[in-house]
Amino acid sequence: MSAFLIDPVPVLDFSAYRNGTTSERRELAIRLVDEFKKHGATRLVNHGLEGDTIQKAYQWSERFFKIPDSEKEAIANVRDANPQRGYSYVGSEATSKANKRGEDGEFQICEDDDVAQDLEDVKEHFDYTRDGDPDFPTPWPSEDTIPGFRSWMEGVFLPECQRLARDILTAIEIGLYLPQGTLTECMESHVDELRIQRYPPLSTEKLKTGKIKRCHPHTDFGFITLLFQDITGGLEIEDRANGGWLPVVPTGEPTEVGVYISDTLVYKTNGHLKAAVHQVTAPVSLKDKEDGVLPERYTIALFAKADRHAHIGPLPQFVTAETPQRFDNLTALELHNKRVGQLYDARPGMNTPVVLSG
């Protein structure tokens, strides 16, 4: 097991998870958890998901965002507290409302309106889940509009990403010395969400107003996020040690995937693992440009989620006299509703319906 480069967010070779000895697998798992403790994030290669498969997902993504606006609007995401499904237009999602700094200076989950209300994200995206979700089905574009899109993204790419996410969570179990299945056994309904995302070209002049970013600082909501990014750059994570931000510069390795600790895993570990605060702004090469233009950028994210009825309160291993319980024992859906509702001014209790069958 090795890191491919000296970097604040190193790229780890994940091949020992499948092919290594028991001791090599444990060494990898411990290194993985150690990296998560630094910034909440790391990157992996040689994880079993082929570069050609990832490249095909990008190709489908580009094709999707080129379909007529009327076709995308027909499958628009409903801006409420329920899981996101379908197409979201540029400016729809306000990640600036998701987190805020606490009195200790650390980012925390925001549950009120005590955040800036006039900040904008410049991105569009399409969110979907598995076929047959009984509670929150995905509205798809018609087969005539984009033939083969649904069958490949839903039937091929999503299951591959779900498998990888569960491999990583199993490695996290090993690295945290948890019994096998502690995390993955509450993911049996496979309600993970996959997002394809496009950032349109954006002038550095608009960025400098301070009101606009490609994506404002935030944490994600599930167990972990798998994030594939093209070579454009601009992704940054919070520098916990020194303050400020660290660029996550793509290496160009075709299987590179970022892994980000998210809110549900923070709850389960009672804050032992902290979520990765990340944002998207100008690439390093355009940071000081007065009249530059950020090029179009594409990313793909798998949000690995617990079963909706699963309770995600802290595990007893992480609750001690020195570290008392910090988080309520919510269900995964209750946390999700709080977080998504915050994005759309639709928190539960604000006259917003929350729908769940059974």
Side-chain angles (χ1 to χ4, degrees), residues 41-177:
T42 193
R43 293 183 281 180
L44 303 178
V45 294
N46 297 328
H47 41 65
L49 188 53
E50 298 295 331
D52 288 347
T53 302
I54 298 168
Q55 185 58 39
K56 188 170 182 178
Y58 279 123
Q59 291 168 356
W60 277 117
S61 179
E62 291 181 18
R63 288 181 61 186
F64 171 81
F65 288 110
K66 290 177 180 176
I67 68 175
D69 288 344
S70 59
E71 298 282 352
K72 289 182 285 190
E73 290 165 2
I75 54 170
N77 172 60
V78 178
R79 301 175 75 252
D80 60 17
N82 291 323
Q84 293 152 297
R85 297 288 184 267
Y87 173 71
S88 294
Y89 56 84
V90 173
S92 175
E93 184 182 78
T95 55
S96 60
K97 299 179 181 180
N99 297 80
K100 64 180 180 181
R101 289 193 186 273
E103 293 181 359
D104 58 3
E106 292 189 6
F107 279 97
Q108 62 185 30
I109 290 175
C110 184
E111 300 181 44
D112 54 38
D113 296 325
D114 188 23
V115 288
Q117 299 293 311
D118 59 345
L119 305 181
E120 182 180 351
D121 286 6
V122 182
K123 66 182 190 293
E124 58 179 333
H125 47 93
F126 175 77
D127 298 82
Y128 71 95
T129 190
R130 65 171 174 84
D131 184 28
D133 186 328
D135 303 310
F136 308 109
T138 304
W140 289 89
S142 70
E143 184 68 10
D144 289 341
T145 298
I146 182 167
F149 174 68
R150 176 177 181 175
S151 62
W152 193 86
M153 295 296 287
E154 184 181 64
V156 178
F157 190 62
L158 175 61
E160 285 285 298
C161 291
Q162 290 175 313
R163 175 199 55 75
L164 176 56
R166 282 152 181 77
D167 286 350
I168 295 167
L169 283 161
T170 300
I172 291 173
E173 292 170 346
I174 296 170
L176 290 175
Y177 300 95

Side-chain angles (χ1 to χ4, degrees), residues 220-254:
D220 294 334
F221 313 154
F223 270 134
I224 58 173
T225 297
L226 307 186
L227 182 62
F228 305 90
Q229 59 168 332
D230 66 16
I231 61 171
T232 304
L235 176 64
E236 298 178 342
I237 63 168
E238 181 189 20
D239 185 348
R240 294 176 181 172
N242 305 299
W245 298 92
L246 299 168
V248 185
V249 180
T251 64
E253 210 288 335

